[in-house]
Amino acid sequence: MHRVVPLKVHYYGTPVVLVSSTNPDGTTNLAPMSSAWWLGQNAMLGLGASSRTTHNLLRTGEGVLNLAPADLVDHVDRLALLTGSPDLSPHKRETGYRYEPRKFEAAGLTRQRSELVAPERVAECPIQLECRVTGHYPIDSASTTAQAIHVEVLRAHVADSVRLPGSDHIDPQAWDPLIMKFCDYFGDGRPLVPSRLAAGWRMPGRLEESPTA
Ligand SMILES: Cc1cc2nc3c(=O)[nH]c(=O)nc-3n(C[C@H](O)[C@H](O)[C@H](O)COP(=O)(O)O)c2cc1C
């Protein structure tokens, strides 16, 4: 039987992307996001209007999408309640976010120079996409103030470990994306560790009862 449910969240499960973007002082900001979808060499990114990443992407017109594998979950979670913006919105402050200008160090991740854009790549991510921003569209609704940001992939860097040998394709069996589903982390279809985002958002869940890693 179906019931009419006023669902509060529609995050059904999407890969986590670590977005690199350039801060006004020239350093690289890094932020996890998962409201992304792909078509050809294009991606659409749904990003909160107040996040540092949104401002950086729209100001500079470029960024790097680093696709996070499931085994980076602990590193990603360390970034969950951080922002590269010194001015926190009241909502972020209440949720437990804090300002952190050195995201790579906070996450324990390694910087790698990009080839076509200024923001650095995340060396530990086996798929790194250098991108340029080609458009954006405001989303102003009762539930969200955000930007849908259209980016085009300029250059893809792929580790041999996730490439089908001798081809220009990702091996779907080798690539195990970190999935964010209703604010909790999953890999290979299974729950991973309790998520700080889920705690900050006070999301109901069962992860604490049945962690597998
Ligand atoms: C796994 C995960 C997925 C997230 N997905 C999104 C997202 O799709 N869009 C968004 O605006 N924020 C998302 N966030 C929250 C941002 O990471 C958060 O707003 C962060 O402060 C942005 O950093 P910045 O202000 O330095 O750009 C996500 C956080 C986590 C941990």
Side-chain angles (χ1 to χ4, degrees), residues 11 16 21 29-36 46-54 76-77 79-85 92 97 100 103 146 178 180 185 197 201:
Y11 298 160
V16 175
S21 62
N29 187 45
L30 195 60
M33 62 86 64
S34 58
S35 299
L47 285 167
S50 71
S51 86
R52 173 62 96 184
T53 302
T54 305
V76 170
D77 195 48
L79 293 171
L81 294 179
L82 303 181
T83 173
S85 173
K92 277 203 159 162
Y97 280 83
E100 174 55 71
K103 300 273 198 83
L178 176 60
M180 206 209 55
Y185 301 113
L197 192 68
W201 283 39

Side-chain angles (χ1 to χ4, degrees), residues 55-136:
H55 289 276
N56 287 348
L57 290 176
L58 297 186
R59 191 185 71 258
T60 65
E62 60 181 28
V64 182
L65 308 183
N66 304 276
L67 279 287
D71 61 14
L72 280 191
V73 63
D74 291 323
H75 300 264
V76 170
D77 195 48
R78 279 181 227 160
L79 293 171
L81 294 179
L82 303 181
T83 173
S85 173
D87 306 312
L88 273 74
S89 65
H91 170 71
K92 277 203 159 162
R93 213 176 279 282
E94 274 165 32
T95 312
Y97 280 83
R98 70 173 172 81
Y99 169 52
E100 174 55 71
R102 295 170 63 81
K103 300 273 198 83
F104 277 88
E105 290 72 14
L109 294 168
T110 313
R111 300 164 189 277
Q112 186 174 8
R113 194 183 289 273
S114 295
E115 294 174 359
L116 303 177
V117 299
E120 292 150 315
R121 294 178 275 157
V122 177
E124 289 82 357
C125 288
I127 303 170
Q128 310 154 330
L129 308 173
E130 297 189 44
C131 294
R132 74 182 168 100
V133 175
T134 55
H136 63 99

Side-chain angles (χ1 to χ4, degrees), residues 124-210:
E124 289 82 357
C125 288
I127 303 170
Q128 310 154 330
L129 308 173
E130 297 189 44
C131 294
R132 74 182 168 100
V133 175
T134 55
H136 63 99
Y137 173 88
I139 300 173
D140 286 311
S141 69
S143 60
T144 304
T145 305
Q147 287 280 342
I149 302 181
H150 175 194
V151 301
E152 192 180 339
V153 177
L154 300 174
R155 182 165 291 178
H157 304 268
V158 179
D160 288 345
S161 56
V162 298
R163 192 167 61 93
L164 274 173
S167 82
D168 293 336
H169 291 275
I170 304 289
D171 179 350
Q173 295 193 38
W175 169 233
D176 181 19
L178 176 60
I179 299 292
M180 206 209 55
K181 185 161 52 160
F182 295 102
C183 293
D184 278 312
Y185 301 113
F186 287 74
D188 205 17
R190 283 187 288 274
L192 299 172
V193 298
S195 120
R196 287 178 213 209
L197 192 68
W201 283 39
R202 296 182 179 81
M203 293 291 284
R206 293 183 297 179
L207 261 184
E208 261 138 277
E209 295 165 21
S210 57

